[in-house]
Amino acid sequence: MKQEKQMPGIDEEAILKPVLTHIKHKLMVLSGKGGVGKSTIAACLAIALAKKGNKVGLLDIDLHGPSIPHLLNIPDILDISPEQKVLPKEIMPNLEVVSMECFMADKDQAVIWRGPLKHAAIRQFIGDVQWGDLDYLVVDSPPGTGDEPLSIAQLIPEAKAIIVTTPQEVALADIRKSITFCHEVDMDIAGIIENMSGFICPHCGKEVDIFKTGGGERTALAFHVEFLGKLPFDLGVVEAGDEGKLIKYMEREDNPYNKALFEIADRLIQRLKEMEIKPVSLDEIRAKNSYKVTIPLKDGKPAPFLTNCDQIAMVHVKDSQIKKVERISPSQQGPIRPKVFVDLGADLVMAKEMKEKAKYVFYKNKVGVVLDIPDATPEELVEKFIKGELGGK
């Protein structure tokens, strides 16, 4: 069950928007269970993207068991700028890192926090860090579908998930939960990576499927999710991670693990291009022979937000004329989500205000958005839209 984590009295969207607008792609690496190599893949993927000439930030939000500093040999506490912004640690050209461990003088200190404190910390990791312009922000989250990935889903509306699994059935059962989690919080899935898929013997070169193989690809196919690729079990990666030498290890271009990883990075880049979402043209909606306009209402007037409406007006337009107006009472099982309007078949949603997450969901589903509407009847608002007096283009 999703829970709203936003702290009362804090406009998180206003805090984070100036930062997030400078980050082109936001990626969260998650897994249904621990021990699948998620943090190693997050680090290696960030390295690969940086080696391809992209400006990359790597954010470790595993508050209880951060491992990125160890994998990348980051012993230092992060510095603060004169503007009181946290300065990420640059560990190689084009790659900067922030982790909870980098704020702790005692690395063995236990972090015992409940959900609201975690949420506030993650908001600070995003909003109070001087990330600057990034092509990619890679977020390494703890395993499971708890507070940390839920916070990222709420704080970064357009974040996309990369789900890591291993081939055995126990891991695949958990990956299905991760997919369901993404659907519940309206987070797009960039793809699935199957880790530890075969072991290449260093002596004879023969590949042995010690954990089976192909399960991740079959799961991706069954759930209609992109499969980004398979990574072999590589003892060299394990040793490099233990010694904090992953960057050095990834310089070996002839290594099967590195070859597979860079191919996955290429597929990811292409996948993100395919997933780019743009606002729907309002003129194209007006030009349709028929379309549906939905307006959230509260006490008969346009509601301040989608989530607190008590009624939805559905206005049917055909040949640039209003043909029918329906009043729909939404289910009273919690706040109204954008998916409700999508499921109603809306071509356009008109509202006073709207969160970035809601706009993202609508644009993803090819639904237009008009904001800052005046207090007027649904019929009056739609007439203004038809004439081009509301919404511009």
Side-chain angles (χ1 to χ4, degrees), residues 176-299:
R176 292 190 280 268
K177 296 175 185 175
S178 296
I179 293 171
T180 302
F181 166 82
C182 292
H183 291 164
E184 282 292 316
V185 298
D186 292 318
M187 179 181 289
D188 291 338
I189 302 174
I192 292 173
I193 298 174
E194 181 177 299
N195 195 25
M196 305 182 201
S197 181
F199 169 69
I200 300 174
C201 177
H203 303 291
C204 67
K206 182 179 179 181
E207 185 172 348
V208 182
D209 296 330
I210 54 177
F211 295 124
K212 300 181 180 179
T213 188
E217 187 169 9
R218 288 192 297 272
T219 302
L221 184 63
F223 281 83
H224 307 288
V225 175
E226 185 79 8
F227 184 67
L228 295 174
K230 299 188 289 187
L231 290 167
F233 184 87
D234 188 342
L235 289 174
V237 173
V238 178
E239 292 171 358
D242 285 345
E243 297 171 6
K245 297 179 179 178
L246 276 180
I247 295 175
K248 182 70 176 175
Y249 189 80
M250 289 192 65
E251 293 176 358
R252 297 175 52 184
E253 296 181 1
D254 61 337
N255 179 275
Y257 181 92
N258 291 344
K259 282 184 177 180
L261 197 286
F262 278 94
E263 288 175 2
I264 286 173
D266 286 334
R267 289 192 196 103
L268 174 63
I269 291 170
Q270 181 59 37
R271 170 67 173 152
L272 293 174
K273 287 180 181 178
E274 295 167 357
M275 297 176 74
E276 286 183 2
I277 293 171
K278 297 179 180 179
V280 178
S281 166
L282 300 180
D283 278 346
E284 287 182 9
I285 295 175
R286 289 190 187 95
K288 286 184 177 182
N289 180 52
S290 64
Y291 55 90
K292 299 175 184 177
V293 182
T294 52
I295 305 167
L297 304 175
K298 181 74 172 179
D299 299 326

